[in-house]
Amino acid sequence: LLNNPKINFKLKERNNKTFFHFLCEKGSSNIVEKVLNDKRFEDMLNEKDNYRRTPFHYACLNKDEKVGM
């Protein structure tokens, strides 16, 4: 899916969460790792939602050691 040109990864939901916020929140560690290593997504790694949380805040709240580390 990360290589599908028809998917707009810049879209945000109503609270300004990106797809990366959701990946970290749900604990998708294998996909999170791929996103972290893909330069196309660098600009959204520290992006804050309406609650002023970055994707990494959600990773820590998730308590998944692989995602939160």
Side-chain angles (χ1 to χ4, degrees), residues 16-58:
N16 269 339
K17 286 184 182 178
T18 65
F19 86 101
F20 194 52
H21 282 88
F22 286 104
L23 289 177
C24 291
E25 184 175 28
K26 300 301 179 192
S28 305
S29 59
N30 59 335
I31 301 173
V32 167
E33 185 175 345
K34 288 180 183 181
V35 170
L36 287 173
N37 292 316
D38 191 324
K39 295 212 180 277
R40 294 177 297 160
F41 303 111
E42 279 182 350
D43 60 331
M44 70 173 59
L45 299 183
N46 293 311
E47 204 163 319
K48 294 180 181 175
D49 64 13
N50 288 352
Y51 303 106
R52 302 189 44 80
R53 293 181 179 157
T54 68
F56 299 106
H57 286 106
Y58 288 100

Side-chain angles (χ1 to χ4, degrees), residues 54-68:
T54 68
F56 299 106
H57 286 106
Y58 288 100
C60 292
L61 290 171
N62 178 18
K63 298 181 183 173
D64 181 333
E65 291 180 15
K66 288 183 180 180
V67 175

